[in-house]
Amino acid sequence: MIEELTLSPRFDVNDIRQLREYNSLRHINMSADEVIAELKADTSDIIERLVKSGHARTLAAAY
């Protein structure tokens, strides 16, 4: 079982390393399509904000 990830308030290099390890362990038994679907679902709010702010023209351009 994967332990819950805890990041520091300053989000430094060690946090990035821990985040990459955590995601690697979570995604190890998933297909590429499953990983991509999860990432799209997790980032949909961010993508919508980018489109509304004009930093991305369409959702497809943001991916």
Side-chain angles (χ1 to χ4, degrees):
M1 186 81 186
I2 301 172
E3 292 182 27
E4 197 62 31
L5 180 64
T6 305
L7 302 174
S8 70
R10 62 186 179 279
F11 196 72
D12 59 14
V13 173
N14 287 326
D15 291 319
I16 294 169
R17 180 189 51 77
Q18 288 177 342
L19 185 58
R20 290 181 66 156
E21 278 183 27
Y22 177 80
N23 283 334
S24 177
L25 291 172
R26 280 188 333 114
H27 296 149
I28 200 162
N29 292 321
M30 296 171 77
S31 71
D33 289 340
E34 290 172 323
V35 172
I36 291 169
E38 181 181 278
L39 291 173
K40 283 183 178 181
D42 291 345
T43 59
S44 64
D45 184 48
I46 296 167
I47 301 301
E48 287 178 30
R49 289 184 204 180
L50 288 171
V51 171
K52 286 180 182 177
S53 69
H55 289 91
R57 286 186 289 215
T58 66
L59 290 178
Y63 287 112

